[in-house]
Amino acid sequence: MASPVIRSVTPSATTVEPGGQFTVTVDAYDPDARTLTFTASTTDTQGGTATATTIVVVGDPLTFELACDDASVTVTQDPQAPGVFVVTA
Amino acid sequence: MLLTARVTDAAGNVAETTAQVEVVSSGPASFAALHGPTPETHMVTVDRPTLLDVDATVNGLHVTADGALIFPPDASRTLTVHAHSVIVDGKLTMRPASPETVHALRFANIDESVYVGGGHGDHHSDPGLVVTSDGGLDAHGTAKSPWSRAAGSLVAGATSILVDDASGWQVGDEITVVPSDSPTASGVAQQRRYDTRTVAAIDGNAVTLSSPLAYAHPSFTDQRTGVVYGAEVLNLTRNVRIEGTPTGRAHVMFHARQTFSHVGIRWMGPRKPDPEDPRYTVGVLGRYGTHFHHVGDDSRGSVLDGVVVRDTGNHAFVAHGSHGVTYTGCIAHDTYSEPFWWDPVEPDGSKVPSHDVAWVGCVASLVRYDPAAHGRRVSGFLLGFGSNNSCVGCVAVGTDLARDSAGFLWPEATPHLNGGVWDFRESVAHNNSHHGVFTWQNSKENHTAFDFVCYRNGGSGISHGAYRNHYQYRRFTCAENKGAPFTIHATSNAIVDIAFTISDALLDASGGPRAAELVRHVLPGTQATRLERCDFRGYTLAAVGQNWDQPGEIEWVDLIDCAYEPGLPHVDMNQALPGSIIREIEGGQVVATWEV
């Protein structure tokens, strides 16, 4: 099993004032994940056909963490959006 | 800041990467975020620009050279410091944007017995505000007229008063009307007849008081110039406040140039039991209302404007070995020892003069000593050692002290260091317990005092000694004092061509025996003392006469072009020693001689 891959870490600001807030979005994926494509089709009595496709990714759930070297900075994860953090400088 | 992102899968495999975000200070940091409102540490360190965004209580504070503690301009804030110091190597900023906003630095829970005192040791351990050689007190309260004179006499029972200039005064301000009644009036001692009230309403220069005046505060008209002096009304309220508490006084010390204005400093100057008599107390050395300590030339350019030091147990405004400090419109009220002062001697006996110090339009009011009977030769303004110092347009009132105390005092000098030569003019001394001016010097310098008034003091208008000198008192008025208008101890020396001279003066004895009183001289004059163009009034015995309590030296006086009360003797020399001579000269001709 390979390690996860972090595509990017993106702060919403590159500078911040003391006491100010910004968000950090961490984008990562599991390289071992497989993509399964399911195709469904149906045909009527006149021979007409309808097709629909759905894709399912099969991989490990990922856990995101964000830490800061300044102990006075607070980091809070958005519970509704894994990989998104609110940072208070 | 460096951010580290870590991602972990279900099997425990980890990926990490970092990102950098720069923290920039386009605005100050939050004190609350950095320290919280009640930091538990012994000494809070402010090492960056920090906004005091909450009322806070700390156990000591250090503003580093890179730091600044900033009170918000648009919000009232109090920083309370428990029993320790505030050391400012950086900047302490208190600049309220409106009169309603109050910025207060308060030292609480001080035990005055812990003070060490002195100037060269570890004075940081004594609770108070210390601004170091790198630091700055950037404190500017809302500007106002610091004090004004009543426009005319005030009667007891009055509930509103009119003053000359109440600009900036606010409803709720605390004001005090200084005593101005006659020293012979019965009742409460004349130097203690203060009326302290709150401004209940204000309309221009008309001030409505919170309660009626208890005392009359009559004006004084200078019959020489026609100028009317209403009682001074001091506004004691400022919206930038640095203070101890009534039961624990702190101190303020500077080691560098400072400029601050309209700051109220209260409950400073700790005291300890007098080691020679524990019934009384003495001020702690070096712990004053404001104290420039041995700053030398680095204090040049300092300006204190409209600053009030009150309810303080020691000196109020001290420029000790510190040059070029200007005090304008500053008020000392209800303080101990000389409020405007610097050390006459160092602990090792050496003297460190201060040069180019200016007191302009300042007021020394209600000066105490513990006990008052020990407060000899204490004054509102002590005109100390140094060069090019000035005292202009100042007022000394309400010194509540012992014999030979005064509103203004040239202190005794030693043989190896003459007294300071001051630009002394346009000042007023009234309603002091003893003299308006007291001088006790044998200085060889050319001292001058011009254009001033001494009235309604409990002693002499001017009491001038010591043995010989050549002071020049010109264009002044002494009237309605309890003692003689001018008491002459000193004789005139002849080290230079200038004689001890009193000229162009109104000396009104106001019912006393003599207008100019000659008391025991210790040394004979080496030239005549000159009284030129003096207007002698109100005496019952003689214009110029002796009042010796013990044998002294000969009299040698020239009265030149003077005016006298009709029908009364000009001179009374009934105790004069052989060799004494007083000449009356008019138009260059000797018209009378009294000779023994």
Side-chain angles (χ1 to χ4, degrees):
Chain A
M1 296 277 291
S3 296
V5 175
I6 299 175
R7 285 195 190 94
S8 62
V9 177
T10 309
S12 62
T14 54
T15 62
V16 64
E17 294 186 2
Q21 284 189 338
F22 61 100
T23 60
V24 176
T25 303
V26 180
D27 181 14
Y29 68 95
D30 177 4
D32 299 321
R34 291 173 294 136
T35 302
L36 305 180
T37 303
F38 296 89
T39 303
S41 62
T42 184
T43 305
D44 64 14
T45 55
Q46 282 78 39
T49 300
T51 302
T53 300
T54 186
I55 297 172
V56 175
V57 176
V58 179
D60 282 347
L62 300 179
T63 301
F64 292 83
E65 298 171 84
L66 186 69
C68 181
D69 64 341
D70 185 341
S72 68
V73 171
T74 59
V75 179
T76 306
Q77 188 164 15
D78 185 342
Q80 306 302 319
V84 176
F85 298 85
V86 176
V87 179
T88 304
Chain B
M1 71 181 77
L2 183 67
L3 297 167
T4 302
R6 170 190 283 247
V7 179
T8 309
D9 65 15
N13 299 305
V14 174
E16 278 190 358
T17 192
T18 61
Q20 189 81 34
V21 173
E22 186 180 2
V23 180
V24 296
S25 294
S26 61
S30 157
F31 186 93
L34 293 175
H35 306 291
T38 54
E40 297 295 328
T41 51
H42 173 74
M43 175 75 81
V44 169
T45 298
V46 174
D47 59 1
R48 65 193 79 175
T50 302
L51 187 70
L52 186 68
D53 48 356
V54 290
D55 288 340
T57 299
V58 300
N59 289 327
L61 188 88
H62 178 207
V63 181
T64 68
D66 294 329
L69 183 63
I70 304 162
F71 284 62
D74 55 354
S76 294
R77 286 283 180 271
T78 297
L79 175 65
T80 302
V81 183
H82 275 291
H84 291 93
S85 296
V86 171
I87 310 297
V88 180
D89 290 319
K91 184 180 284 188
L92 175 60
T93 296
M94 308 167 83
R95 287 178 173 260
S98 68
E100 295 76 23
T101 302
V102 176
H103 292 169
L105 170 60
R106 181 169 300 135
F107 295 90
N109 296 335
I110 290 175
D111 175 3
E112 295 187 13
S113 70
V114 305
Y115 277 87
V116 176
H120 300 288
D122 180 18
H123 47 261
H124 291 187
S125 65
D126 282 348
L129 172 63
V130 177
V131 184
T132 70
S133 57
D134 297 321
L137 175 60
D138 178 28
H140 297 274
T142 303
K144 64 172 61 174
S145 174
W147 61 274
S148 184
R149 285 196 168 91
S153 294
L154 305 177
V155 298
T159 56
S160 64
I161 61 175
L162 185 65
V163 299
D164 293 339
D165 180 9
S167 56
W169 293 17
Q170 304 291 319
V171 171
D173 282 1
E174 188 177 11
I175 61 173
T176 191
V177 186
V178 308
S180 65
D181 207 350
S182 168
T184 60
S186 60
V188 174
Q190 52 100 4
Q191 72 273 14
R192 297 176 188 164
R193 292 177 203 157
Y194 282 86
D195 273 305
T196 300
R197 300 289 184 272
T198 300
V199 174
I202 191 159
D203 180 9
N205 292 329
V207 179
T208 302
L209 306 175
S210 54
S211 60
L213 295 175
Y215 304 110
H217 301 269
S219 61
F220 169 79
T221 301
D222 183 348
Q223 300 294 335
R224 182 177 61 88
T225 62
V227 173
V228 177
Y229 294 87
E232 291 80 11
V233 183
L234 315 180
N235 190 315
L236 302 175
T237 297
R238 301 291 183 270
N239 63 339
V240 171
R241 301 169 187 168
I242 301 171
E243 55 195 29
T245 66
T247 55
R249 290 167 287 201
H251 77 109
V252 176
M253 180 182 280
F254 307 112
H255 294 284
R257 178 175 58 243
Q258 305 297 331
T259 290
F260 56 98
S261 61
H262 302 285
V263 174
I265 296 173
R266 193 175 192 187
W267 295 310
M268 297 291 162
R271 299 183 72 81
K272 285 185 166 183
D274 185 344
E276 296 181 359
D277 190 340
R279 291 177 299 171
Y280 308 120
T281 58
V282 293
V284 177
L285 179 67
R287 303 298 176 258
Y288 309 134
T290 64
H291 180 192
F292 286 88
H293 177 68
H294 280 266
V295 187
D297 287 327
D298 289 342
S299 56
R300 290 189 181 279
S302 296
V303 178
L304 278 63
D305 178 37
V307 175
V308 175
V309 174
R310 60 182 300 205
D311 304 318
T312 285
N314 213 328
H315 308 286
F317 296 99
V318 179
H320 174 205
S322 302
H323 313 312
V325 182
T326 298
Y327 302 85
T328 58
C330 292
I331 296 170
H333 177 69
D334 199 354
T335 61
Y336 280 73
S337 302
E338 300 88 343
F340 290 84
W341 174 92
W342 57 79
D343 307 54
V345 293
E346 296 294 300
D348 64 2
S350 63
K351 292 178 169 61
V352 179
S354 298
H355 307 306
D356 305 305
V357 173
W359 298 327
V360 181
C362 296
V363 178
S365 165
L366 187 49
V367 182
R368 301 180 189 271
Y369 206 81
D370 184 24
H374 291 184
R376 288 194 64 195
R377 300 191 183 181
V378 177
S379 60
F381 294 83
L382 187 132
L383 298 126
F385 303 115
S387 299
N388 198 36
N389 298 306
S390 56
C391 178
V392 178
C394 294
V395 178
V397 58
T399 57
D400 190 10
L401 302 161
R403 174 174 160 255
D404 292 343
S405 64
F408 300 93
L409 189 147
W410 275 270
E412 185 169 5
T414 60
H416 65 277
L417 182 61
N418 287 317
V421 175
W422 285 73
D423 173 11
F424 179 86
R425 55 192 162 89
E426 299 162 17
S427 292
V428 177
H430 72 94
N431 292 89
N432 296 291
S433 57
H434 288 75
H435 310 308
V437 170
F438 181 74
T439 303
W440 203 256
Q441 293 198 343
N442 301 311
S443 170
K444 302 176 179 65
E445 309 294 339
N446 185 24
H447 299 269
T448 61
F450 297 156
D451 302 299
F452 61 98
V453 180
C454 299
Y455 65 91
R456 296 177 188 155
N457 295 289
S460 298
I462 300 170
S463 181
H464 179 80
Y467 302 162
R468 273 196 303 241
N469 58 44
H470 52 268
Y471 269 66
Q472 311 286 303
Y473 296 95
R474 299 186 185 277
R475 301 187 301 272
F476 67 97
T477 296
C478 294
E480 301 183 31
N481 299 287
K482 193 171 182 179
F486 205 120
T487 299
I488 300 172
H489 299 265
T491 57
S492 183
N493 67 25
I495 293 171
V496 294
D497 292 337
I498 304 167
F500 167 28
T501 302
I502 302 164
S503 71
D504 302 289
L506 170 58
L507 301 179
D508 188 342
S510 307
R514 307 168 193 88
E517 199 161 84
L518 300 161
V519 295
R520 173 180 175 266
H521 310 301
V522 175
L523 294 176
T526 52
Q527 61 179 315
T529 296
R530 296 168 65 90
L531 280 70
E532 302 174 346
R533 297 178 298 282
C534 291
D535 186 352
F536 301 113
R537 294 189 195 175
Y539 50 89
T540 56
L541 187 60
V544 179
Q546 294 174 297
N547 184 23
W548 285 15
D549 55 2
Q550 54 186 308
E553 288 290 345
I554 64 165
E555 305 291 0
W556 190 0
V557 178
D558 283 343
L559 307 174
I560 304 165
D561 298 325
C562 294
Y564 307 88
E565 289 284 6
L568 289 173
H570 295 183
V571 174
D572 170 29
M573 286 229 295
N574 59 13
Q575 292 175 288
L577 299 175
S580 295
I581 181 169
I582 296 182
R583 300 186 303 171
E584 188 176 335
I585 300 168
E586 291 183 2
Q589 302 297 315
V590 177
V591 297
T593 301
W594 292 266
E595 200 165 2
V596 179

